[in-house]
Amino acid sequence: MNTTVPTVPAVLNDTLAHIRAVQPRLREEAQARLDQLTKPRGSLGQLESLAAQCYAIVGGNPSLPMRKAAYLFAADHGVAAEGVSAYPSAVTQQMVENFLRGGAAINVLARHHAVQLTIVDVGVDAEFAAHPALWQRKVRRASRNMRREPALSAAEMSAALEVGVEAADDAHARQITLVAAGEMGIGNTTAASALAAALTGQPVAAVTGTGTGIDSSARQIKQQVIAEALDRHLPHWRTERPAPLAALRGVGGLEIAAMTGFFLAAARHARIIVVDGFIATAAAAVAVACAPAVRDYLIAGHRSEEPGHAHLLRHLGLEPVLDLRMRLGEGTGAVLAMPVITSGVHILLEMATFAAAGVSTATA
Amino acid sequence: MNTTVPTVPAVLNDTLAHIRAVQPRLREEAQARLDQLTKPRGSLGQLESLAAQCYAIVGGNPSLPMRKAAYLFAADHGVAAEGVSAYPSAVTQQMVENFLRGGAAINVLARHHAVQLTIVDVGVDAEFAAHPALWQRKVRRASRNMRREPALSAAEMSAALEVGVEAADDAHARQITLVAAGEMGIGNTTAASALAAALTGQPVAAVTGTGTGIDSSARQIKQQVIAEALDRHLPHWRTERPAPLAALRGVGGLEIAAMTGFFLAAARHARIIVVDGFIATAAAAVAVACAPAVRDYLIAGHRSEEPGHAHLLRHLGLEPVLDLRMRLGEGTGAVLAMPVITSGVHILLEMATFAAAGVSTATA
C-alpha cells in the first residue's frame, strides 16, 4: 500500500458524489440547431463547438445575458526560498493589495467584460485589512518548502480544497453561469511544473519554463528543485501516475488546492468553467484525475507561453480559445476568452434558421 | 506600356495624398508604459503589441470606451455562373434581407459587442426596400464574369471604390475608432483567390479553397476559372506582380473594390482597422499595394480556414488575433476580435504602474 496517498478528504465526498457527465444528446441537439442557422455548415468553427458545449453544460437551457465571475486565489509558496522566481515573495502580498485597489490586469479585464471578481486569500504570507472584494480564508502563511517536506499537510490540503468548494458554491448561489479561477502566488509555476510532470509523466525539463522571467541558470535550479521534490514525495512518479491528491499534497500549493476544489464543485453545480493558464490547468488536471466527468465542464481560455501548459492541454484534450502568448495568470486568459465564449451561445440562440429567414440552402 | 493598368481613379487622389505612416515613436511610448505596469514584462504577449499599435494609430490619445462600427458590403459576382459556389446567387439577396431583419451571425455578434452595423448594397442582383441600416449604392447588378471579360470596367471600379471611401468618411464623421469591413457575395472566394494569386505570386491551387463548401470537382472547376481569368486579364501575373488596381479590375468584385476604398480612407482618417477573413484581406492587400502605409492601421481579426488567407496574412505581415477555424465572412471574425483588441487598450490606459502600486520589480 502506498502510504503517501491521502484518503479523499471528507469535504469532497458530497461534491464528488454529485458530479455528472454532460449529456452527449444535448451537444447533438445544439449542433443540429447550429446546422439549421443561416450560415454554411460548420463555418463558425470552434465557436460552434464552444456553443454546443455551453448549451449541454447548462442542460439545454442557457439564459442570456450570461452572468460571469472570477475567483482569484492567492497564496505564497515555501519553495520560493529556493530562488525559483524572478520576484521576491513579498510581491504576492503587494499584488493582492493591487487587486483590492483595482490596478492589476485582471481588474481591468474583469471591469471591461462585466465579470464579478473576488479575491481569496488562501495562504498569503501577510495580513490584509477587511475589504468587500476579499475573502480571508488563510489556511497557512504559505505552503511548505516541497524540497524539504510535502507542500501541504493532509489537513492543510483539505482546508484549501474546502475554500475552493465554498467559492464554487457561492457562484452557484449567485446564479453565475460562466466561472473562472485565477491565481497569484510567487513560486507557483514551480508547483505547477511539478504537478504537470507527475500527472502527465513528461520529463521535468519539458514542463518547466521561465515563469515570470528567470534566466537559464535559475531555470536549472528550478528543475533540480522540482525533480528532488517529486523523487522525495512521489517516489514512483517516473513510471506510474501517482494518485492526484497525493501529487497535490506533495508538490502543489494552497491556491492550487483551492482551484482544484473550485473546479470539482463548479462541475458539480454544472457551471461553465473557463480555465486560465498553466497554474489553473494544473489544478484542473488534478480535478479531472479525481473525477473524469469534470472534463466535460472545462473550456481552456487560452494557451500560455509556459511550455508545460501545452502538455497539460493535450493531456486533458482541451483546445484553447485564445493563443496570444500570454503568461500572466490572475485569470486574465480565462476572462479575456469569455466574450468569445458568450458570443457562441448568443449565435446559437439568436440567429435565424434557413427556413425562418427564407434563405436557400447549399445546392451541393 | 501595359494598357490593362487603369490610372488611379480621381476619387482616390485626395485619400491617397493624405495617408501617413503611424509614428514608431508612439508605439515605443506605449511599450514603455506597458513595461511599467504591474505585470512581468511582456507577459500579456500579443495583447501588448495590439495595445501599442492602437495607441499609435490614434496619435497617443485613445478615448474610452472605444466606438465600434462595421460596414458590410454586398455584391453579386458574374463568375458565379461558372458553378464555383455551393450556393445559388439568390442567396446574396436573401442574406441581405436576413441582415436587415437582424438574423445573421454578424447581427448577433454586432449586437453582443456593441458594434454599429451598416449594410451597403454595392452590387447585389436584386432591389431592396428602403431600410435605416441599408445604404443603397448599387454600381451594377453583379460584377461581370471574369472568365469572359474584366470583372469591372474602369468606371465601375471607381464607383465601387468611392462607396468604400464614403463609408470610411462616415465612420470618421461619427467618431468611430475601431472599424471593420465585412462582405456578402456568392462567388466572392473565387475573386479573392484570383487576387491572392495575383498579389502574392502563389500558384492558384495554393490559394483556392472550398469556399462555402464545394466538393473537389467543383474546386477543380474553380481553379480552372481563376487561372483562365488571370491569364486573360493579367497575362504576366505568373512572373511579375501586376498593378494592384489592374488586378482588382480584372478579377476582383464590387464589394472587394468597396472594401479597398474603405481601408484606404480609414487609414487616411487614422482609424483602427480590423480586417476580417479571406475576402476582406484580399481587399486589404490591394489597398496596401496602393499605399504601403495602410499596413500600419491593419489588425487581422482572425485566421480563416480558407487556405489562401494564410498566404495573404504572411504577405502583409499580419498576425491574426483569433484562430477559431471560422470561414463565414460578413465581418464576423473582425467583430469577434474587437473585445480582445479593446481589452489591450484598456490594459494600457487603466492598469497601475509598479511605482504607483508599490509593487517590487523583478530581482533578475
Side-chain angles (χ1 to χ4, degrees):
Chain A
M1 195 181 108
N2 184 342
T3 55
T4 65
V5 179
T7 52
V8 172
V11 60
L12 289 187
N13 284 337
D14 186 53
T15 295
L16 290 171
H18 289 90
I19 296 173
R20 299 276 173 275
V22 168
Q23 293 182 55
R25 179 185 61 78
L26 289 170
R27 271 189 190 246
E28 289 156 20
E29 193 173 294
Q31 193 58 56
R33 179 171 171 86
L34 285 162
D35 289 346
Q36 292 168 21
L37 301 177
T38 47
K39 58 176 186 51
R41 275 196 182 197
S43 61
L44 286 175
Q46 197 178 344
L47 209 57
E48 298 193 20
S49 49
L50 288 168
Q53 182 183 357
C54 291
Y55 178 88
I57 288 172
V58 300
N61 186 26
S63 69
L64 301 182
M66 301 169 91
R67 296 169 66 122
K68 297 167 282 183
Y71 294 82
L72 199 168
F73 300 94
D76 275 300
H77 288 258
V79 73
E82 302 291 340
V84 292
S85 177
Y87 288 80
S89 276
V91 166
T92 306
Q93 170 194 357
Q94 292 163 355
M95 283 302 296
V96 167
E97 284 160 356
N98 196 20
F99 298 142
L100 297 175
R101 279 192 304 265
I106 188 60
N107 299 106
V108 174
L109 295 176
R111 283 196 299 267
H112 189 45
H113 298 297
V115 178
Q116 300 176 41
L117 181 64
T118 303
I119 314 302
V120 185
D121 171 12
V122 66
V124 181
D125 188 12
E127 298 298 327
F128 300 102
H131 186 288
L134 176 68
W135 285 15
Q136 309 224 25
R137 299 291 187 280
K138 200 189 305 292
V139 171
R140 188 172 190 275
R141 289 177 73 127
S143 55
R144 298 157 192 271
N145 183 345
M146 68 171 82
R147 193 174 197 174
R148 310 190 179 282
E149 58 183 323
L152 306 170
S153 72
E156 288 155 8
M157 182 178 71
S158 286
L161 285 163
E162 188 164 12
V163 171
V165 170
E166 182 191 358
D169 289 351
D170 174 71
H172 177 56
R174 292 195 289 140
Q175 300 182 284
I176 305 295
T177 306
L178 211 58
V179 297
E183 43 56 47
M184 175 70 218
I186 295 300
N188 67 8
T189 60
T190 299
S193 292
L195 282 171
L199 296 169
T200 69
Q202 288 288 326
V204 171
V207 294
T208 305
T210 53
T212 48
I214 53 175
D215 61 20
S216 65
S217 73
R219 187 173 172 177
Q220 286 294 327
I221 293 167
K222 185 174 171 180
Q223 289 182 21
Q224 193 182 327
V225 166
I226 291 167
E228 281 180 30
L230 287 167
D231 290 341
R232 180 187 288 249
H233 309 306
L234 306 164
H236 308 294
W237 80 274
R238 290 175 198 274
T239 52
E240 193 186 319
R241 304 285 57 77
L245 295 181
L248 181 62
R249 211 198 124 189
V251 299
L254 291 160
E255 83 283 43
I256 297 176
M259 287 193 288
T260 301
F262 181 83
F263 293 138
L264 289 166
R268 176 251 175 101
H269 293 305
R271 303 296 99 179
I272 300 162
I273 302 169
V274 191
V275 182
D276 191 36
F278 183 43
I279 326 289
T281 308
V286 176
V288 170
C290 291
V294 170
R295 165 67 184 71
D296 293 358
Y297 297 88
L298 303 181
I299 294 171
H302 81 129
R303 182 193 307 280
S304 157
E305 276 274 273
E306 271 288 309
H309 195 215
H311 290 290
L312 285 173
L313 290 172
R314 199 174 315 117
H315 175 73
L316 290 169
L318 295 174
E319 181 182 29
V321 176
L322 301 175
D323 190 353
L324 299 170
R325 300 189 309 278
M326 288 166 55
R327 52 179 171 84
L328 177 56
E330 302 179 2
T332 51
V335 165
L336 194 59
M338 285 184 173
V340 177
I341 297 164
T342 57
S343 294
V345 180
H346 281 262
I347 288 282
L348 173 64
L349 296 185
E350 297 179 350
M351 265 184 77
T353 61
F354 279 103
V359 175
S360 308
T361 52
T363 52
Chain B
M1 196 181 106
N2 185 342
T3 54
T4 66
V5 179
T7 51
V8 172
V11 59
L12 290 187
N13 284 337
D14 187 52
T15 296
L16 290 170
H18 289 90
I19 296 172
R20 298 277 173 274
V22 168
Q23 292 182 56
R25 179 185 62 76
L26 289 171
R27 271 189 189 247
E28 289 156 19
E29 193 173 295
Q31 193 58 55
R33 178 169 172 89
L34 285 162
D35 290 346
Q36 292 167 21
L37 301 177
T38 48
K39 58 177 184 53
R41 273 195 184 199
S43 61
L44 286 174
Q46 196 178 345
L47 209 57
E48 298 193 20
S49 50
L50 288 168
Q53 183 183 357
C54 290
Y55 178 89
I57 288 172
V58 299
N61 186 27
S63 69
L64 301 183
M66 299 168 92
R67 296 170 68 124
K68 296 167 282 184
Y71 295 81
L72 198 168
F73 300 94
D76 275 300
H77 289 259
V79 74
E82 302 290 341
V84 293
S85 177
Y87 287 81
S89 275
V91 166
T92 306
Q93 170 194 358
Q94 293 164 355
M95 283 302 296
V96 167
E97 284 160 357
N98 196 20
F99 299 142
L100 297 175
R101 279 192 304 265
I106 188 62
N107 299 105
V108 174
L109 295 176
R111 284 195 299 266
H112 189 45
H113 298 296
V115 177
Q116 300 176 40
L117 181 65
T118 302
I119 315 301
V120 184
D121 172 13
V122 65
V124 181
D125 188 12
E127 298 297 328
F128 301 102
H131 186 288
L134 175 68
W135 284 15
Q136 307 223 29
R137 298 290 186 279
K138 200 189 306 292
V139 171
R140 189 173 190 275
R141 289 177 74 127
S143 56
R144 299 157 190 271
N145 183 346
M146 68 171 83
R147 193 175 197 174
R148 310 190 180 284
E149 57 183 323
L152 306 171
S153 72
E156 289 155 5
M157 182 178 72
S158 286
L161 285 163
E162 187 163 13
V163 171
V165 170
E166 182 190 359
D169 288 352
D170 174 72
H172 177 56
R174 293 195 290 139
Q175 299 181 285
I176 305 294
T177 306
L178 211 56
V179 297
E183 44 55 48
M184 175 70 218
I186 295 299
N188 67 8
T189 60
T190 299
S193 292
L195 282 171
L199 296 169
T200 69
Q202 289 288 327
V204 171
V207 294
T208 305
T210 53
T212 49
I214 52 175
D215 61 21
S216 64
S217 74
R219 187 172 171 177
Q220 287 293 327
I221 294 167
K222 184 173 171 181
Q223 289 181 23
Q224 193 182 326
V225 167
I226 292 167
E228 281 181 29
L230 286 167
D231 289 343
R232 180 186 289 249
H233 308 306
L234 307 163
H236 308 294
W237 79 274
R238 290 174 198 275
T239 51
E240 194 186 319
R241 305 285 56 78
L245 295 181
L248 180 63
R249 210 197 126 189
V251 299
L254 291 161
E255 82 284 43
I256 297 176
M259 288 193 288
T260 301
F262 181 83
F263 294 139
L264 289 166
R268 176 251 175 101
H269 293 305
R271 303 295 98 180
I272 300 161
I273 302 169
V274 190
V275 182
D276 191 35
F278 183 43
I279 326 289
T281 309
V286 176
V288 170
C290 291
V294 169
R295 164 67 184 74
D296 294 358
Y297 297 87
L298 303 181
I299 293 172
H302 81 128
R303 180 193 308 279
S304 157
E305 276 274 272
E306 270 289 308
H309 196 213
H311 289 289
L312 285 173
L313 290 173
R314 197 174 316 116
H315 176 73
L316 290 170
L318 295 174
E319 180 182 30
V321 176
L322 300 174
D323 190 354
L324 299 170
R325 301 189 309 279
M326 288 166 55
R327 52 179 172 83
L328 177 56
E330 301 179 4
T332 50
V335 166
L336 193 59
M338 285 183 172
V340 176
I341 297 164
T342 57
S343 293
V345 180
H346 281 262
I347 288 281
L348 174 64
L349 297 184
E350 297 178 351
M351 265 184 77
T353 61
F354 280 103
V359 175
S360 309
T361 52
T363 53

